[in-house]
Amino acid sequence: MKKTIIAVLGTMLLPVAAATPAVADTELSWQDCGDGLQCDRITVPADWAAPNGKQITLGLAKLPARDPATRMGTIVLNMGGPAQQISILRQIKGTFADLTQWFDVVLFDPRGFEASTEVRCPNPAPNPTNGEWVFTNRAAFAQYTKQNHRFGLGCAEAAGPLAGNLNTWQGARDLEAVRVALGERKLNYFGNSYGGVLGVAYAEYFPSRVGRMYLDSPIDHTNRSWDEWVLARAKVKEDNLHRFAEWCATDRSCALHGRDVLKVWDEVMARATKRPIPAPGAGAGATASAALIASRATVSFDATWPELAKSLTEADAGDATRFAKPFAGAPDPDLSRITMCADFPFPTAYREVKAMEARLRKTAPRIGWTMAWPMADLCTGLPKKTSYPPHPIRPRGLPPILIANGAYDDTAAPAYGRRIAAQLDGARYLAAKGGHALYWSGNPCVRDHVHRYLTTGQLPPTGTTCGPASS
């Protein structure tokens, strides 16, 4: 079947000079590419505002529906990041296997990543020293900013025609090109986490093409107030520290059971603020400052609480080794911060971030205030050629969209999903007792509602709340 991609589609809603439509005929020819996937590529403009200019490719992959007799169509999936998609799906395809009862599950690597026209930054993205994302020293932040600037300049040079075109305004048009190539009259879409930014952008620019859309733990790209945007996350993180304390009070396995956990936290932080706590097991002369402890305290995930309790117990006794050991977590792909900071041009001047931190401390004084820093650290010093900043939306003619958030998610706070739902006519918000990526993490209640919605269009009743995944 011949499928036509109209390259000018990206100009339909952008006030640029008229351009002659550039039509590229492409016929998808799925080929086996291992792990049960089929792969192919399509060609799109490097810049949808100049559709007749340089072209790039998008790498697509399909997890086919199990039975053609029960197949209901295609759903396009974006698992978030922003990051590569295909190689991740190879590792966790079982998570989304239920969808293949009814759909071909299709995804594509975003522009710049892996199977698509790839941007390979010559220098790795810098990470704050020893994982300490909270900067208390202006000179150290300035040095880190220089490193990130050097990284960004290298990426821009390596990007070639994609320089300045790695943002979700472009990505929404890529998504429409994928719909056209698939031959789907409407787009059925599942966006997880940062995939929600892409889904909302698509709904804004192509409302008449939306079929069924599920946004799980979406990042809010509709709020121009950085203080409001960060405060929503800070409040949830602060609440998570209190949940940790409540768990310790009821679970005898907690190393701090029987003690006032919040008092212990306050005392450790006060001591580390006056003088960093020794961390002999992390190397000669190693210490843990209050900023490091606040950066490293993993309060958001229940599974990490036993380790956090041990870390606090030992720090309270004068040994902060558990907080000071080299951080083993995998960083985001280097290119993710380029896209993220084009979509979210966060304030990065040291005085601005410190002022935001001070404001957050009034509402989230123990740990939530740290939320002032992560985006600033990602974006500081990056070249600001173009950006796609947050803005309110009001698309018309949309079908009902399902949006879900976890009450304990300090990456995509519940306020994010509620705000998005309020701007999408007919959208339904599904609350859940859980953290980030509800469907992915296996919440059975959420998964049941998602399957029902995607297959029948039936939304959960207004006010529905799903319990925790273990219930």
Side-chain angles (χ1 to χ4, degrees), residues 1-7 23-30 40-44 56-58 60 177-183:
M1 175 182 177
K2 184 72 73 175
K3 299 173 179 68
T4 302
I5 298 176
I6 309 297
V23 182
D25 289 331
T26 184
E27 187 173 354
L28 284 177
S29 180
W30 297 105
D40 202 359
R41 296 174 182 271
I42 63 172
T43 301
V44 299
I56 62 168
T57 59
L58 298 178
L60 282 66
V178 168
R179 180 198 66 80
V180 173
L182 292 169

PDB file of all heavy atoms in Angstrom, residues 1-7 23-30 40-44 56-58 60 177-183:
ATOM      1  N   MET A   1       0.847  -1.198   0.000  1.00  0.00           N
ATOM      2  CA  MET A   1       0.000   0.000   0.000  1.00  0.00           C
ATOM      3  C   MET A   1       0.879   1.243   0.000  1.00  0.00           C
ATOM      4  O   MET A   1       1.774   1.386   0.817  1.00  0.00           O
ATOM      5  CB  MET A   1      -0.899   0.005   1.243  1.00  0.00           C
ATOM      6  CG  MET A   1      -1.736   1.250   1.399  1.00  0.00           C
ATOM      7  SD  MET A   1      -2.727   1.191   2.913  1.00  0.00           S
ATOM      8  CE  MET A   1      -3.495   2.804   2.843  1.00  0.00           C
ATOM      9  N   LYS A   2       0.600   2.148  -0.942  1.00  0.00           N
ATOM     10  CA  LYS A   2       1.377   3.376  -1.043  1.00  0.00           C
ATOM     11  C   LYS A   2       0.897   4.375  -0.002  1.00  0.00           C
ATOM     12  O   LYS A   2      -0.278   4.612   0.174  1.00  0.00           O
ATOM     13  CB  LYS A   2       1.210   3.970  -2.445  1.00  0.00           C
ATOM     14  CG  LYS A   2       2.059   5.196  -2.700  1.00  0.00           C
ATOM     15  CD  LYS A   2       3.527   4.878  -2.832  1.00  0.00           C
ATOM     16  CE  LYS A   2       3.836   4.192  -4.132  1.00  0.00           C
ATOM     17  NZ  LYS A   2       5.287   3.987  -4.311  1.00  0.00           N
ATOM     18  N   LYS A   3       1.862   4.963   0.683  1.00  0.00           N
ATOM     19  CA  LYS A   3       1.531   5.951   1.708  1.00  0.00           C
ATOM     20  C   LYS A   3       2.262   7.238   1.390  1.00  0.00           C
ATOM     21  O   LYS A   3       3.436   7.222   1.064  1.00  0.00           O
ATOM     22  CB  LYS A   3       1.921   5.439   3.097  1.00  0.00           C
ATOM     23  CG  LYS A   3       1.168   4.147   3.472  1.00  0.00           C
ATOM     24  CD  LYS A   3       1.696   3.596   4.757  1.00  0.00           C
ATOM     25  CE  LYS A   3       0.927   2.326   5.132  1.00  0.00           C
ATOM     26  NZ  LYS A   3       1.195   1.231   4.200  1.00  0.00           N
ATOM     27  N   THR A   4       1.585   8.362   1.504  1.00  0.00           N
ATOM     28  CA  THR A   4       2.164   9.645   1.132  1.00  0.00           C
ATOM     29  C   THR A   4       2.339  10.523   2.355  1.00  0.00           C
ATOM     30  O   THR A   4       1.422  10.698   3.129  1.00  0.00           O
ATOM     31  CB  THR A   4       1.264  10.371   0.122  1.00  0.00           C
ATOM     32  OG1 THR A   4       1.099   9.519  -1.014  1.00  0.00           O
ATOM     33  CG2 THR A   4       1.882  11.678  -0.320  1.00  0.00           C
ATOM     34  N   ILE A   5       3.542  11.068   2.511  1.00  0.00           N
ATOM     35  CA  ILE A   5       3.817  12.011   3.589  1.00  0.00           C
ATOM     36  C   ILE A   5       3.908  13.402   2.971  1.00  0.00           C
ATOM     37  O   ILE A   5       4.738  13.658   2.113  1.00  0.00           O
ATOM     38  CB  ILE A   5       5.141  11.687   4.293  1.00  0.00           C
ATOM     39  CG1 ILE A   5       5.054  10.286   4.925  1.00  0.00           C
ATOM     40  CG2 ILE A   5       5.457  12.722   5.359  1.00  0.00           C
ATOM     41  CD1 ILE A   5       6.343   9.851   5.545  1.00  0.00           C
ATOM     42  N   ILE A   6       3.055  14.282   3.382  1.00  0.00           N
ATOM     43  CA  ILE A   6       3.087  15.667   2.892  1.00  0.00           C
ATOM     44  C   ILE A   6       4.020  16.450   3.800  1.00  0.00           C
ATOM     45  O   ILE A   6       3.689  16.778   4.934  1.00  0.00           O
ATOM     46  CB  ILE A   6       1.690  16.300   2.893  1.00  0.00           C
ATOM     47  CG1 ILE A   6       0.693  15.381   2.181  1.00  0.00           C
ATOM     48  CG2 ILE A   6       1.721  17.674   2.255  1.00  0.00           C
ATOM     49  CD1 ILE A   6       0.999  15.149   0.726  1.00  0.00           C
ATOM     50  N   ALA A   7       5.196  16.750   3.317  1.00  0.00           N
ATOM     51  CA  ALA A   7       6.201  17.373   4.171  1.00  0.00           C
ATOM     52  C   ALA A   7       5.800  18.761   4.619  1.00  0.00           C
ATOM     53  O   ALA A   7       6.305  19.271   5.606  1.00  0.00           O
ATOM     54  CB  ALA A   7       7.541  17.440   3.441  1.00  0.00           C
ATOM     55  N   VAL A  23       6.411  16.655  -1.491  1.00  0.00           N
ATOM     56  CA  VAL A  23       5.731  15.393  -1.279  1.00  0.00           C
ATOM     57  C   VAL A  23       6.724  14.250  -1.420  1.00  0.00           C
ATOM     58  O   VAL A  23       7.426  14.146  -2.427  1.00  0.00           O
ATOM     59  CB  VAL A  23       4.589  15.206  -2.287  1.00  0.00           C
ATOM     60  CG1 VAL A  23       3.864  13.895  -2.022  1.00  0.00           C
ATOM     61  CG2 VAL A  23       3.626  16.374  -2.199  1.00  0.00           C
ATOM     62  N   ALA A  24       6.798  13.429  -0.399  1.00  0.00           N
ATOM     63  CA  ALA A  24       7.688  12.281  -0.452  1.00  0.00           C
ATOM     64  C   ALA A  24       6.853  11.013  -0.412  1.00  0.00           C
ATOM     65  O   ALA A  24       6.096  10.795   0.529  1.00  0.00           O
ATOM     66  CB  ALA A  24       8.665  12.302   0.726  1.00  0.00           C
ATOM     67  N   ASP A  25       6.934  10.208  -1.449  1.00  0.00           N
ATOM     68  CA  ASP A  25       6.214   8.947  -1.477  1.00  0.00           C
ATOM     69  C   ASP A  25       7.053   7.893  -0.775  1.00  0.00           C
ATOM     70  O   ASP A  25       8.235   7.729  -1.078  1.00  0.00           O
ATOM     71  CB  ASP A  25       5.940   8.502  -2.912  1.00  0.00           C
ATOM     72  CG  ASP A  25       4.896   9.376  -3.587  1.00  0.00           C
ATOM     73  OD1 ASP A  25       4.041   9.903  -2.863  1.00  0.00           O
ATOM     74  OD2 ASP A  25       4.961   9.525  -4.816  1.00  0.00           O
ATOM     75  N   THR A  26       6.432   7.211   0.146  1.00  0.00           N
ATOM     76  CA  THR A  26       7.151   6.171   0.856  1.00  0.00           C
ATOM     77  C   THR A  26       6.230   4.997   1.093  1.00  0.00           C
ATOM     78  O   THR A  26       5.039   5.178   1.328  1.00  0.00           O
ATOM     79  CB  THR A  26       7.709   6.688   2.198  1.00  0.00           C
ATOM     80  OG1 THR A  26       8.467   5.652   2.802  1.00  0.00           O
ATOM     81  CG2 THR A  26       6.617   7.125   3.138  1.00  0.00           C
ATOM     82  N   GLU A  27       6.735   3.843   0.990  1.00  0.00           N
ATOM     83  CA  GLU A  27       5.976   2.633   1.258  1.00  0.00           C
ATOM     84  C   GLU A  27       6.666   1.897   2.390  1.00  0.00           C
ATOM     85  O   GLU A  27       7.815   1.475   2.256  1.00  0.00           O
ATOM     86  CB  GLU A  27       5.915   1.759   0.006  1.00  0.00           C
ATOM     87  CG  GLU A  27       5.004   0.557   0.169  1.00  0.00           C
ATOM     88  CD  GLU A  27       4.829  -0.198  -1.147  1.00  0.00           C
ATOM     89  OE1 GLU A  27       5.323   0.293  -2.168  1.00  0.00           O
ATOM     90  OE2 GLU A  27       4.205  -1.266  -1.113  1.00  0.00           O
ATOM     91  N   LEU A  28       5.967   1.792   3.526  1.00  0.00           N
ATOM     92  CA  LEU A  28       6.559   1.088   4.647  1.00  0.00           C
ATOM     93  C   LEU A  28       6.714  -0.384   4.288  1.00  0.00           C
ATOM     94  O   LEU A  28       5.792  -1.021   3.791  1.00  0.00           O
ATOM     95  CB  LEU A  28       5.685   1.241   5.890  1.00  0.00           C
ATOM     96  CG  LEU A  28       5.753   2.594   6.597  1.00  0.00           C
ATOM     97  CD1 LEU A  28       4.787   2.633   7.773  1.00  0.00           C
ATOM     98  CD2 LEU A  28       7.165   2.888   7.073  1.00  0.00           C
ATOM     99  N   SER A  29       7.879  -0.873   4.538  1.00  0.00           N
ATOM    100  CA  SER A  29       8.183  -2.270   4.267  1.00  0.00           C
ATOM    101  C   SER A  29       8.859  -2.845   5.503  1.00  0.00           C
ATOM    102  O   SER A  29      10.079  -2.874   5.611  1.00  0.00           O
ATOM    103  CB  SER A  29       9.104  -2.395   3.038  1.00  0.00           C
ATOM    104  OG  SER A  29       9.410  -3.741   2.775  1.00  0.00           O
ATOM    105  N   TRP A  30       8.031  -3.271   6.449  1.00  0.00           N
ATOM    106  CA  TRP A  30       8.544  -3.740   7.727  1.00  0.00           C
ATOM    107  C   TRP A  30       9.440  -4.965   7.531  1.00  0.00           C
ATOM    108  O   TRP A  30       9.083  -5.905   6.824  1.00  0.00           O
ATOM    109  CB  TRP A  30       7.393  -4.101   8.670  1.00  0.00           C
ATOM    110  CG  TRP A  30       6.512  -2.953   9.040  1.00  0.00           C
ATOM    111  CD1 TRP A  30       5.256  -2.695   8.567  1.00  0.00           C
ATOM    112  CD2 TRP A  30       6.802  -1.910   9.970  1.00  0.00           C
ATOM    113  NE1 TRP A  30       4.745  -1.562   9.146  1.00  0.00           N
ATOM    114  CE2 TRP A  30       5.665  -1.056  10.014  1.00  0.00           C
ATOM    115  CE3 TRP A  30       7.897  -1.609  10.775  1.00  0.00           C
ATOM    116  CZ2 TRP A  30       5.614   0.068  10.830  1.00  0.00           C
ATOM    117  CZ3 TRP A  30       7.840  -0.479  11.585  1.00  0.00           C
ATOM    118  CH2 TRP A  30       6.715   0.342  11.614  1.00  0.00           C
ATOM    119  N   ASP A  40      11.515  -0.202  10.232  1.00  0.00           N
ATOM    120  CA  ASP A  40      11.555   0.513   8.961  1.00  0.00           C
ATOM    121  C   ASP A  40      11.937   1.958   9.253  1.00  0.00           C
ATOM    122  O   ASP A  40      12.144   2.342  10.411  1.00  0.00           O
ATOM    123  CB  ASP A  40      10.202   0.442   8.241  1.00  0.00           C
ATOM    124  CG  ASP A  40      10.325   0.687   6.737  1.00  0.00           C
ATOM    125  OD1 ASP A  40      11.456   0.925   6.256  1.00  0.00           O
ATOM    126  OD2 ASP A  40       9.295   0.650   6.043  1.00  0.00           O
ATOM    127  N   ARG A  41      12.036   2.762   8.205  1.00  0.00           N
ATOM    128  CA  ARG A  41      12.393   4.176   8.340  1.00  0.00           C
ATOM    129  C   ARG A  41      11.500   5.026   7.457  1.00  0.00           C
ATOM    130  O   ARG A  41      10.990   4.548   6.437  1.00  0.00           O
ATOM    131  CB  ARG A  41      13.851   4.417   7.930  1.00  0.00           C
ATOM    132  CG  ARG A  41      14.887   3.723   8.790  1.00  0.00           C
ATOM    133  CD  ARG A  41      16.285   3.914   8.221  1.00  0.00           C
ATOM    134  NE  ARG A  41      17.293   3.218   9.003  1.00  0.00           N
ATOM    135  CZ  ARG A  41      17.927   3.740  10.042  1.00  0.00           C
ATOM    136  NH1 ARG A  41      17.667   4.993  10.401  1.00  0.00           N
ATOM    137  NH2 ARG A  41      18.817   3.046  10.720  1.00  0.00           N
ATOM    138  N   ILE A  42      11.319   6.279   7.857  1.00  0.00           N
ATOM    139  CA  ILE A  42      10.679   7.257   6.986  1.00  0.00           C
ATOM    140  C   ILE A  42      11.565   8.500   6.937  1.00  0.00           C
ATOM    141  O   ILE A  42      12.439   8.692   7.790  1.00  0.00           O
ATOM    142  CB  ILE A  42       9.257   7.638   7.456  1.00  0.00           C
ATOM    143  CG1 ILE A  42       9.291   8.327   8.834  1.00  0.00           C
ATOM    144  CG2 ILE A  42       8.349   6.415   7.478  1.00  0.00           C
ATOM    145  CD1 ILE A  42       7.941   8.901   9.251  1.00  0.00           C
ATOM    146  N   THR A  43      11.320   9.333   5.938  1.00  0.00           N
ATOM    147  CA  THR A  43      12.091  10.572   5.755  1.00  0.00           C
ATOM    148  C   THR A  43      11.217  11.765   6.079  1.00  0.00           C
ATOM    149  O   THR A  43      10.056  11.843   5.650  1.00  0.00           O
ATOM    150  CB  THR A  43      12.590  10.676   4.303  1.00  0.00           C
ATOM    151  OG1 THR A  43      13.411   9.534   4.015  1.00  0.00           O
ATOM    152  CG2 THR A  43      13.405  11.940   4.097  1.00  0.00           C
ATOM    153  N   VAL A  44      11.760  12.706   6.843  1.00  0.00           N
ATOM    154  CA  VAL A  44      11.048  13.928   7.217  1.00  0.00           C
ATOM    155  C   VAL A  44      12.023  15.100   7.131  1.00  0.00           C
ATOM    156  O   VAL A  44      13.239  14.904   7.104  1.00  0.00           O
ATOM    157  CB  VAL A  44      10.466  13.834   8.652  1.00  0.00           C
ATOM    158  CG1 VAL A  44       9.468  12.710   8.763  1.00  0.00           C
ATOM    159  CG2 VAL A  44      11.573  13.691   9.684  1.00  0.00           C
ATOM    160  N   ILE A  56      15.945  14.249   7.113  1.00  0.00           N
ATOM    161  CA  ILE A  56      16.495  13.290   8.057  1.00  0.00           C
ATOM    162  C   ILE A  56      15.621  12.039   8.020  1.00  0.00           C
ATOM    163  O   ILE A  56      14.556  12.023   7.384  1.00  0.00           O
ATOM    164  CB  ILE A  56      16.548  13.845   9.496  1.00  0.00           C
ATOM    165  CG1 ILE A  56      15.129  14.168   9.989  1.00  0.00           C
ATOM    166  CG2 ILE A  56      17.459  15.058   9.575  1.00  0.00           C
ATOM    167  CD1 ILE A  56      15.043  14.453  11.474  1.00  0.00           C
ATOM    168  N   THR A  57      16.056  10.999   8.720  1.00  0.00           N
ATOM    169  CA  THR A  57      15.236   9.798   8.800  1.00  0.00           C
ATOM    170  C   THR A  57      14.804   9.544  10.236  1.00  0.00           C
ATOM    171  O   THR A  57      15.485   9.929  11.190  1.00  0.00           O
ATOM    172  CB  THR A  57      15.994   8.559   8.279  1.00  0.00           C
ATOM    173  OG1 THR A  57      17.176   8.373   9.060  1.00  0.00           O
ATOM    174  CG2 THR A  57      16.365   8.722   6.821  1.00  0.00           C
ATOM    175  N   LEU A  58      13.647   8.928  10.363  1.00  0.00           N
ATOM    176  CA  LEU A  58      13.152   8.466  11.651  1.00  0.00           C
ATOM    177  C   LEU A  58      13.090   6.946  11.614  1.00  0.00           C
ATOM    178  O   LEU A  58      12.492   6.359  10.699  1.00  0.00           O
ATOM    179  CB  LEU A  58      11.742   9.014  11.939  1.00  0.00           C
ATOM    180  CG  LEU A  58      11.573  10.525  12.039  1.00  0.00           C
ATOM    181  CD1 LEU A  58      10.107  10.873  12.278  1.00  0.00           C
ATOM    182  CD2 LEU A  58      12.452  11.113  13.140  1.00  0.00           C
ATOM    183  N   LEU A  60      11.654   3.531  12.845  1.00  0.00           N
ATOM    184  CA  LEU A  60      10.419   3.023  13.434  1.00  0.00           C
ATOM    185  C   LEU A  60      10.573   1.556  13.803  1.00  0.00           C
ATOM    186  O   LEU A  60      11.341   0.820  13.167  1.00  0.00           O
ATOM    187  CB  LEU A  60       9.241   3.145  12.461  1.00  0.00           C
ATOM    188  CG  LEU A  60       8.566   4.501  12.273  1.00  0.00           C
ATOM    189  CD1 LEU A  60       9.496   5.513  11.633  1.00  0.00           C
ATOM    190  CD2 LEU A  60       7.298   4.351  11.443  1.00  0.00           C
ATOM    191  N   ALA A 177       3.779  12.793  10.832  1.00  0.00           N
ATOM    192  CA  ALA A 177       4.340  12.104   9.669  1.00  0.00           C
ATOM    193  C   ALA A 177       4.288  10.592   9.852  1.00  0.00           C
ATOM    194  O   ALA A 177       4.031   9.843   8.903  1.00  0.00           O
ATOM    195  CB  ALA A 177       5.769  12.564   9.422  1.00  0.00           C
ATOM    196  N   VAL A 178       4.508  10.134  11.082  1.00  0.00           N
ATOM    197  CA  VAL A 178       4.416   8.704  11.367  1.00  0.00           C
ATOM    198  C   VAL A 178       2.982   8.223  11.165  1.00  0.00           C
ATOM    199  O   VAL A 178       2.742   7.158  10.578  1.00  0.00           O
ATOM    200  CB  VAL A 178       4.908   8.403  12.798  1.00  0.00           C
ATOM    201  CG1 VAL A 178       4.562   6.988  13.220  1.00  0.00           C
ATOM    202  CG2 VAL A 178       6.414   8.628  12.896  1.00  0.00           C
ATOM    203  N   ARG A 179       2.022   8.997  11.642  1.00  0.00           N
ATOM    204  CA  ARG A 179       0.611   8.618  11.425  1.00  0.00           C
ATOM    205  C   ARG A 179       0.305   8.469   9.944  1.00  0.00           C
ATOM    206  O   ARG A 179      -0.321   7.482   9.510  1.00  0.00           O
ATOM    207  CB  ARG A 179      -0.332   9.653  12.043  1.00  0.00           C
ATOM    208  CG  ARG A 179      -1.818   9.307  11.851  1.00  0.00           C
ATOM    209  CD  ARG A 179      -2.733  10.501  12.055  1.00  0.00           C
ATOM    210  NE  ARG A 179      -2.543  11.530  11.035  1.00  0.00           N
ATOM    211  CZ  ARG A 179      -3.075  11.479   9.808  1.00  0.00           C
ATOM    212  NH1 ARG A 179      -3.784  10.430   9.428  1.00  0.00           N
ATOM    213  NH2 ARG A 179      -2.872  12.471   8.958  1.00  0.00           N
ATOM    214  N   VAL A 180       0.756   9.447   9.155  1.00  0.00           N
ATOM    215  CA  VAL A 180       0.507   9.398   7.714  1.00  0.00           C
ATOM    216  C   VAL A 180       1.166   8.166   7.105  1.00  0.00           C
ATOM    217  O   VAL A 180       0.560   7.439   6.308  1.00  0.00           O
ATOM    218  CB  VAL A 180       1.014  10.694   7.039  1.00  0.00           C
ATOM    219  CG1 VAL A 180       0.927  10.584   5.525  1.00  0.00           C
ATOM    220  CG2 VAL A 180       0.220  11.894   7.539  1.00  0.00           C
ATOM    221  N   ALA A 181       2.401   7.905   7.480  1.00  0.00           N
ATOM    222  CA  ALA A 181       3.120   6.761   6.924  1.00  0.00           C
ATOM    223  C   ALA A 181       2.448   5.445   7.284  1.00  0.00           C
ATOM    224  O   ALA A 181       2.460   4.492   6.496  1.00  0.00           O
ATOM    225  CB  ALA A 181       4.565   6.766   7.418  1.00  0.00           C
ATOM    226  N   LEU A 182       1.853   5.385   8.461  1.00  0.00           N
ATOM    227  CA  LEU A 182       1.162   4.167   8.890  1.00  0.00           C
ATOM    228  C   LEU A 182      -0.171   3.982   8.190  1.00  0.00           C
ATOM    229  O   LEU A 182      -0.773   2.900   8.266  1.00  0.00           O
ATOM    230  CB  LEU A 182       0.940   4.196  10.410  1.00  0.00           C
ATOM    231  CG  LEU A 182       2.190   4.083  11.289  1.00  0.00           C
ATOM    232  CD1 LEU A 182       1.838   4.388  12.744  1.00  0.00           C
ATOM    233  CD2 LEU A 182       2.810   2.696  11.169  1.00  0.00           C
ATOM    234  N   GLY A 183      -0.664   5.032   7.540  1.00  0.00           N
ATOM    235  CA  GLY A 183      -1.952   4.955   6.867  1.00  0.00           C
ATOM    236  C   GLY A 183      -3.133   4.980   7.815  1.00  0.00           C
ATOM    237  O   GLY A 183      -4.227   4.533   7.466  1.00  0.00           O
TER     238      GLY A 183
END
